PDB file of all heavy atoms in Angstrom:
ATOM      1  N   GLY M  60       3.737   7.984 -12.389  1.00  0.00           N
ATOM      2  CA  GLY M  60       2.737   8.185 -13.426  1.00  0.00           C
ATOM      3  C   GLY M  60       1.938   9.455 -13.226  1.00  0.00           C
ATOM      4  O   GLY M  60       2.293  10.328 -12.437  1.00  0.00           O
ATOM      5  N   ILE M  61       0.819   9.543 -13.949  1.00  0.00           N
ATOM      6  CA  ILE M  61      -0.002  10.755 -13.906  1.00  0.00           C
ATOM      7  C   ILE M  61      -1.404  10.494 -13.379  1.00  0.00           C
ATOM      8  O   ILE M  61      -2.266  11.358 -13.415  1.00  0.00           O
ATOM      9  CB  ILE M  61      -0.092  11.404 -15.300  1.00  0.00           C
ATOM     10  CG1 ILE M  61      -0.699  10.422 -16.313  1.00  0.00           C
ATOM     11  CG2 ILE M  61       1.285  11.869 -15.762  1.00  0.00           C
ATOM     12  CD1 ILE M  61      -0.990  11.034 -17.668  1.00  0.00           C
ATOM     13  N   ARG M  62      -1.659   9.311 -12.862  1.00  0.00           N
ATOM     14  CA  ARG M  62      -3.003   8.956 -12.401  1.00  0.00           C
ATOM     15  C   ARG M  62      -3.098   8.802 -10.879  1.00  0.00           C
ATOM     16  O   ARG M  62      -3.957   8.093 -10.378  1.00  0.00           O
ATOM     17  CB  ARG M  62      -3.451   7.666 -13.083  1.00  0.00           C
ATOM     18  CG  ARG M  62      -3.613   7.827 -14.582  1.00  0.00           C
ATOM     19  CD  ARG M  62      -4.199   6.581 -15.209  1.00  0.00           C
ATOM     20  NE  ARG M  62      -4.461   6.809 -16.617  1.00  0.00           N
ATOM     21  CZ  ARG M  62      -3.637   6.477 -17.592  1.00  0.00           C
ATOM     22  NH1 ARG M  62      -2.495   5.884 -17.312  1.00  0.00           N
ATOM     23  NH2 ARG M  62      -3.948   6.715 -18.840  1.00  0.00           N
ATOM     24  N   GLY M  63      -2.191   9.442 -10.162  1.00  0.00           N
ATOM     25  CA  GLY M  63      -2.248   9.384  -8.708  1.00  0.00           C
ATOM     26  C   GLY M  63      -1.589   8.169  -8.096  1.00  0.00           C
ATOM     27  O   GLY M  63      -1.754   7.912  -6.911  1.00  0.00           O
ATOM     28  N   GLU M  64      -0.832   7.424  -8.867  1.00  0.00           N
ATOM     29  CA  GLU M  64      -0.146   6.261  -8.331  1.00  0.00           C
ATOM     30  C   GLU M  64       1.093   6.700  -7.556  1.00  0.00           C
ATOM     31  O   GLU M  64       1.665   7.760  -7.811  1.00  0.00           O
ATOM     32  CB  GLU M  64       0.285   5.320  -9.453  1.00  0.00           C
ATOM     33  CG  GLU M  64      -0.870   4.694 -10.190  1.00  0.00           C
ATOM     34  CD  GLU M  64      -0.401   3.804 -11.324  1.00  0.00           C
ATOM     35  OE1 GLU M  64       0.627   4.126 -11.972  1.00  0.00           O
ATOM     36  OE2 GLU M  64      -1.049   2.781 -11.554  1.00  0.00           O
ATOM     37  N   VAL M  65       1.505   5.873  -6.604  1.00  0.00           N
ATOM     38  CA  VAL M  65       2.716   6.135  -5.836  1.00  0.00           C
ATOM     39  C   VAL M  65       3.521   4.852  -5.717  1.00  0.00           C
ATOM     40  O   VAL M  65       2.983   3.753  -5.778  1.00  0.00           O
ATOM     41  CB  VAL M  65       2.393   6.669  -4.418  1.00  0.00           C
ATOM     42  CG1 VAL M  65       1.764   8.037  -4.482  1.00  0.00           C
ATOM     43  CG2 VAL M  65       1.519   5.708  -3.641  1.00  0.00           C
ATOM     44  N   ALA M  66       4.826   5.001  -5.559  1.00  0.00           N
ATOM     45  CA  ALA M  66       5.704   3.865  -5.275  1.00  0.00           C
ATOM     46  C   ALA M  66       5.834   3.779  -3.760  1.00  0.00           C
ATOM     47  O   ALA M  66       6.064   4.785  -3.090  1.00  0.00           O
ATOM     48  CB  ALA M  66       7.074   4.071  -5.915  1.00  0.00           C
ATOM     49  N   VAL M  67       5.675   2.572  -3.224  1.00  0.00           N
ATOM     50  CA  VAL M  67       5.699   2.365  -1.780  1.00  0.00           C
ATOM     51  C   VAL M  67       6.815   1.384  -1.421  1.00  0.00           C
ATOM     52  O   VAL M  67       6.932   0.322  -2.030  1.00  0.00           O
ATOM     53  CB  VAL M  67       4.342   1.814  -1.277  1.00  0.00           C
ATOM     54  CG1 VAL M  67       4.395   1.495   0.208  1.00  0.00           C
ATOM     55  CG2 VAL M  67       3.219   2.792  -1.584  1.00  0.00           C
ATOM     56  N   PHE M  68       7.610   1.760  -0.425  1.00  0.00           N
ATOM     57  CA  PHE M  68       8.607   0.852   0.134  1.00  0.00           C
ATOM     58  C   PHE M  68       7.920   0.113   1.274  1.00  0.00           C
ATOM     59  O   PHE M  68       7.560   0.727   2.286  1.00  0.00           O
ATOM     60  CB  PHE M  68       9.825   1.629   0.651  1.00  0.00           C
ATOM     61  CG  PHE M  68      10.857   0.751   1.288  1.00  0.00           C
ATOM     62  CD1 PHE M  68      11.733   0.026   0.511  1.00  0.00           C
ATOM     63  CD2 PHE M  68      10.945   0.647   2.663  1.00  0.00           C
ATOM     64  CE1 PHE M  68      12.688  -0.798   1.088  1.00  0.00           C
ATOM     65  CE2 PHE M  68      11.889  -0.168   3.255  1.00  0.00           C
ATOM     66  CZ  PHE M  68      12.763  -0.893   2.463  1.00  0.00           C
ATOM     67  N   PRO M  69       7.690  -1.189   1.133  1.00  0.00           N
ATOM     68  CA  PRO M  69       6.961  -1.913   2.186  1.00  0.00           C
ATOM     69  C   PRO M  69       7.809  -2.097   3.440  1.00  0.00           C
ATOM     70  O   PRO M  69       8.996  -2.406   3.370  1.00  0.00           O
ATOM     71  CB  PRO M  69       6.643  -3.257   1.538  1.00  0.00           C
ATOM     72  CG  PRO M  69       7.675  -3.428   0.485  1.00  0.00           C
ATOM     73  CD  PRO M  69       8.046  -2.051   0.017  1.00  0.00           C
ATOM     74  N   LEU M  70       7.185  -1.906   4.586  1.00  0.00           N
ATOM     75  CA  LEU M  70       7.826  -2.147   5.872  1.00  0.00           C
ATOM     76  C   LEU M  70       7.263  -3.411   6.512  1.00  0.00           C
ATOM     77  O   LEU M  70       7.616  -3.754   7.626  1.00  0.00           O
ATOM     78  CB  LEU M  70       7.601  -0.950   6.811  1.00  0.00           C
ATOM     79  CG  LEU M  70       8.153   0.387   6.321  1.00  0.00           C
ATOM     80  CD1 LEU M  70       7.743   1.499   7.273  1.00  0.00           C
ATOM     81  CD2 LEU M  70       9.658   0.327   6.171  1.00  0.00           C
ATOM     82  N   SER M  71       6.371  -4.072   5.793  1.00  0.00           N
ATOM     83  CA  SER M  71       5.712  -5.275   6.273  1.00  0.00           C
ATOM     84  C   SER M  71       5.932  -6.388   5.261  1.00  0.00           C
ATOM     85  O   SER M  71       5.920  -6.148   4.052  1.00  0.00           O
ATOM     86  CB  SER M  71       4.211  -5.013   6.433  1.00  0.00           C
ATOM     87  OG  SER M  71       3.520  -6.206   6.689  1.00  0.00           O
ATOM     88  N   GLU M  72       6.124  -7.607   5.740  1.00  0.00           N
ATOM     89  CA  GLU M  72       6.261  -8.746   4.842  1.00  0.00           C
ATOM     90  C   GLU M  72       4.902  -9.281   4.415  1.00  0.00           C
ATOM     91  O   GLU M  72       4.812 -10.107   3.514  1.00  0.00           O
ATOM     92  CB  GLU M  72       7.073  -9.847   5.512  1.00  0.00           C
ATOM     93  CG  GLU M  72       8.517  -9.463   5.735  1.00  0.00           C
ATOM     94  CD  GLU M  72       9.305 -10.569   6.392  1.00  0.00           C
ATOM     95  OE1 GLU M  72       8.787 -11.692   6.540  1.00  0.00           O
ATOM     96  OE2 GLU M  72      10.470 -10.314   6.749  1.00  0.00           O
ATOM     97  N   ASN M  73       3.844  -8.808   5.036  1.00  0.00           N
ATOM     98  CA  ASN M  73       2.489  -9.248   4.746  1.00  0.00           C
ATOM     99  C   ASN M  73       1.962  -8.469   3.536  1.00  0.00           C
ATOM    100  O   ASN M  73       1.477  -7.350   3.671  1.00  0.00           O
ATOM    101  CB  ASN M  73       1.594  -9.020   5.971  1.00  0.00           C
ATOM    102  CG  ASN M  73       0.222  -9.575   5.797  1.00  0.00           C
ATOM    103  OD1 ASN M  73      -0.170  -9.979   4.699  1.00  0.00           O
ATOM    104  ND2 ASN M  73      -0.540  -9.579   6.856  1.00  0.00           N
ATOM    105  N   GLU M  74       2.033  -9.073   2.348  1.00  0.00           N
ATOM    106  CA  GLU M  74       1.622  -8.397   1.119  1.00  0.00           C
ATOM    107  C   GLU M  74       0.123  -8.148   1.054  1.00  0.00           C
ATOM    108  O   GLU M  74      -0.341  -7.302   0.293  1.00  0.00           O
ATOM    109  CB  GLU M  74       2.075  -9.205  -0.092  1.00  0.00           C
ATOM    110  CG  GLU M  74       3.584  -9.277  -0.230  1.00  0.00           C
ATOM    111  CD  GLU M  74       4.017 -10.113  -1.414  1.00  0.00           C
ATOM    112  OE1 GLU M  74       3.154 -10.531  -2.216  1.00  0.00           O
ATOM    113  OE2 GLU M  74       5.227 -10.352  -1.530  1.00  0.00           O
ATOM    114  N   GLU M  75      -0.667  -8.853   1.856  1.00  0.00           N
ATOM    115  CA  GLU M  75      -2.117  -8.673   1.862  1.00  0.00           C
ATOM    116  C   GLU M  75      -2.513  -7.274   2.316  1.00  0.00           C
ATOM    117  O   GLU M  75      -3.603  -6.813   2.015  1.00  0.00           O
ATOM    118  CB  GLU M  75      -2.773  -9.718   2.762  1.00  0.00           C
ATOM    119  CG  GLU M  75      -2.619 -11.128   2.233  1.00  0.00           C
ATOM    120  CD  GLU M  75      -3.128 -12.160   3.222  1.00  0.00           C
ATOM    121  OE1 GLU M  75      -3.595 -11.787   4.316  1.00  0.00           O
ATOM    122  OE2 GLU M  75      -3.055 -13.352   2.884  1.00  0.00           O
ATOM    123  N   ARG M  76      -1.646  -6.594   3.023  1.00  0.00           N
ATOM    124  CA  ARG M  76      -1.952  -5.237   3.489  1.00  0.00           C
ATOM    125  C   ARG M  76      -2.139  -4.275   2.323  1.00  0.00           C
ATOM    126  O   ARG M  76      -2.777  -3.244   2.469  1.00  0.00           O
ATOM    127  CB  ARG M  76      -0.847  -4.722   4.401  1.00  0.00           C
ATOM    128  CG  ARG M  76      -0.677  -5.527   5.659  1.00  0.00           C
ATOM    129  CD  ARG M  76       0.359  -4.869   6.555  1.00  0.00           C
ATOM    130  NE  ARG M  76       0.800  -5.726   7.622  1.00  0.00           N
ATOM    131  CZ  ARG M  76       0.204  -5.850   8.791  1.00  0.00           C
ATOM    132  NH1 ARG M  76      -0.892  -5.187   9.023  1.00  0.00           N
ATOM    133  NH2 ARG M  76       0.698  -6.652   9.715  1.00  0.00           N
ATOM    134  N   PHE M  77      -1.580  -4.597   1.160  1.00  0.00           N
ATOM    135  CA  PHE M  77      -1.639  -3.709  -0.003  1.00  0.00           C
ATOM    136  C   PHE M  77      -2.604  -4.210  -1.077  1.00  0.00           C
ATOM    137  O   PHE M  77      -2.595  -3.725  -2.199  1.00  0.00           O
ATOM    138  CB  PHE M  77      -0.238  -3.534  -0.592  1.00  0.00           C
ATOM    139  CG  PHE M  77       0.756  -2.998   0.404  1.00  0.00           C
ATOM    140  CD1 PHE M  77       1.708  -3.818   0.967  1.00  0.00           C
ATOM    141  CD2 PHE M  77       0.711  -1.671   0.797  1.00  0.00           C
ATOM    142  CE1 PHE M  77       2.622  -3.338   1.902  1.00  0.00           C
ATOM    143  CE2 PHE M  77       1.610  -1.172   1.726  1.00  0.00           C
ATOM    144  CZ  PHE M  77       2.570  -2.016   2.278  1.00  0.00           C
ATOM    145  N   GLU M  78      -3.428  -5.183  -0.763  1.00  0.00           N
ATOM    146  CA  GLU M  78      -4.398  -5.712  -1.722  1.00  0.00           C
ATOM    147  C   GLU M  78      -5.457  -4.657  -2.041  1.00  0.00           C
ATOM    148  O   GLU M  78      -5.809  -3.853  -1.179  1.00  0.00           O
ATOM    149  CB  GLU M  78      -5.085  -6.951  -1.157  1.00  0.00           C
ATOM    150  CG  GLU M  78      -4.175  -8.158  -1.062  1.00  0.00           C
ATOM    151  CD  GLU M  78      -3.798  -8.710  -2.414  1.00  0.00           C
ATOM    152  OE1 GLU M  78      -4.656  -8.752  -3.308  1.00  0.00           O
ATOM    153  OE2 GLU M  78      -2.635  -9.108  -2.583  1.00  0.00           O
ATOM    154  N   PRO M  79      -5.996  -4.651  -3.275  1.00  0.00           N
ATOM    155  CA  PRO M  79      -7.081  -3.728  -3.603  1.00  0.00           C
ATOM    156  C   PRO M  79      -8.233  -3.878  -2.609  1.00  0.00           C
ATOM    157  O   PRO M  79      -8.601  -4.985  -2.225  1.00  0.00           O
ATOM    158  CB  PRO M  79      -7.496  -4.155  -5.009  1.00  0.00           C
ATOM    159  CG  PRO M  79      -6.241  -4.734  -5.592  1.00  0.00           C
ATOM    160  CD  PRO M  79      -5.571  -5.436  -4.436  1.00  0.00           C
ATOM    161  N   GLY M  80      -8.735  -2.745  -2.169  1.00  0.00           N
ATOM    162  CA  GLY M  80      -9.809  -2.720  -1.182  1.00  0.00           C
ATOM    163  C   GLY M  80      -9.311  -2.487   0.228  1.00  0.00           C
ATOM    164  O   GLY M  80     -10.095  -2.161   1.122  1.00  0.00           O
ATOM    165  N   SER M  81      -7.997  -2.643   0.463  1.00  0.00           N
ATOM    166  CA  SER M  81      -7.438  -2.403   1.792  1.00  0.00           C
ATOM    167  C   SER M  81      -7.545  -0.924   2.131  1.00  0.00           C
ATOM    168  O   SER M  81      -7.352  -0.067   1.281  1.00  0.00           O
ATOM    169  CB  SER M  81      -5.965  -2.815   1.854  1.00  0.00           C
ATOM    170  OG  SER M  81      -5.817  -4.181   1.643  1.00  0.00           O
ATOM    171  N   ARG M  82      -7.840  -0.643   3.389  1.00  0.00           N
ATOM    172  CA  ARG M  82      -7.926   0.747   3.836  1.00  0.00           C
ATOM    173  C   ARG M  82      -6.682   1.054   4.649  1.00  0.00           C
ATOM    174  O   ARG M  82      -6.355   0.351   5.613  1.00  0.00           O
ATOM    175  CB  ARG M  82      -9.169   0.950   4.682  1.00  0.00           C
ATOM    176  CG  ARG M  82      -9.416   2.379   5.010  1.00  0.00           C
ATOM    177  CD  ARG M  82     -10.828   2.574   5.480  1.00  0.00           C
ATOM    178  NE  ARG M  82     -11.053   3.981   5.694  1.00  0.00           N
ATOM    179  CZ  ARG M  82     -11.793   4.472   6.650  1.00  0.00           C
ATOM    180  NH1 ARG M  82     -12.432   3.669   7.453  1.00  0.00           N
ATOM    181  NH2 ARG M  82     -11.932   5.764   6.783  1.00  0.00           N
ATOM    182  N   LEU M  83      -5.962   2.097   4.244  1.00  0.00           N
ATOM    183  CA  LEU M  83      -4.734   2.517   4.907  1.00  0.00           C
ATOM    184  C   LEU M  83      -4.876   3.966   5.345  1.00  0.00           C
ATOM    185  O   LEU M  83      -5.698   4.710   4.802  1.00  0.00           O
ATOM    186  CB  LEU M  83      -3.535   2.365   3.969  1.00  0.00           C
ATOM    187  CG  LEU M  83      -3.292   0.968   3.400  1.00  0.00           C
ATOM    188  CD1 LEU M  83      -2.184   1.012   2.360  1.00  0.00           C
ATOM    189  CD2 LEU M  83      -2.938  -0.005   4.507  1.00  0.00           C
ATOM    190  N   PHE M  84      -4.072   4.364   6.288  1.00  0.00           N
ATOM    191  CA  PHE M  84      -4.083   5.742   6.779  1.00  0.00           C
ATOM    192  C   PHE M  84      -2.721   6.368   6.518  1.00  0.00           C
ATOM    193  O   PHE M  84      -1.694   5.798   6.880  1.00  0.00           O
ATOM    194  CB  PHE M  84      -4.412   5.776   8.272  1.00  0.00           C
ATOM    195  CG  PHE M  84      -5.794   5.281   8.564  1.00  0.00           C
ATOM    196  CD1 PHE M  84      -6.036   3.954   8.794  1.00  0.00           C
ATOM    197  CD2 PHE M  84      -6.864   6.168   8.565  1.00  0.00           C
ATOM    198  CE1 PHE M  84      -7.316   3.486   9.047  1.00  0.00           C
ATOM    199  CE2 PHE M  84      -8.147   5.720   8.811  1.00  0.00           C
ATOM    200  CZ  PHE M  84      -8.375   4.380   9.053  1.00  0.00           C
ATOM    201  N   LEU M  85      -2.724   7.535   5.879  1.00  0.00           N
ATOM    202  CA  LEU M  85      -1.486   8.231   5.559  1.00  0.00           C
ATOM    203  C   LEU M  85      -1.200   9.285   6.612  1.00  0.00           C
ATOM    204  O   LEU M  85      -2.104   9.997   7.052  1.00  0.00           O
ATOM    205  CB  LEU M  85      -1.588   8.910   4.194  1.00  0.00           C
ATOM    206  CG  LEU M  85      -1.915   8.028   2.997  1.00  0.00           C
ATOM    207  CD1 LEU M  85      -1.966   8.865   1.736  1.00  0.00           C
ATOM    208  CD2 LEU M  85      -0.906   6.915   2.858  1.00  0.00           C
ATOM    209  N   SER M  86       0.069   9.401   6.973  1.00  0.00           N
ATOM    210  CA  SER M  86       0.527  10.413   7.916  1.00  0.00           C
ATOM    211  C   SER M  86       1.578  11.258   7.214  1.00  0.00           C
ATOM    212  O   SER M  86       2.353  10.753   6.403  1.00  0.00           O
ATOM    213  CB  SER M  86       1.136   9.755   9.149  1.00  0.00           C
ATOM    214  OG  SER M  86       1.766  10.714   9.957  1.00  0.00           O
TER     215      SER M  86
END
């Protein structure tokens, strides 16, 4: 899209890691 969204391939089965409000670090 055009609003800064990205498609992510999950490496974790824990879907809670991607819940709104979660803080992640990009490398």
Side-chain angles (χ1 to χ4, degrees):
I61 59 173
R62 295 186 175 96
E64 294 178 325
V65 293
V67 176
F68 178 79
L70 300 174
S71 171
E72 293 180 8
N73 186 350
E74 295 178 7
E75 294 173 0
R76 297 185 193 274
F77 303 105
E78 290 291 320
S81 297
R82 188 163 184 216
L83 303 173
F84 296 89
L85 303 180
S86 171

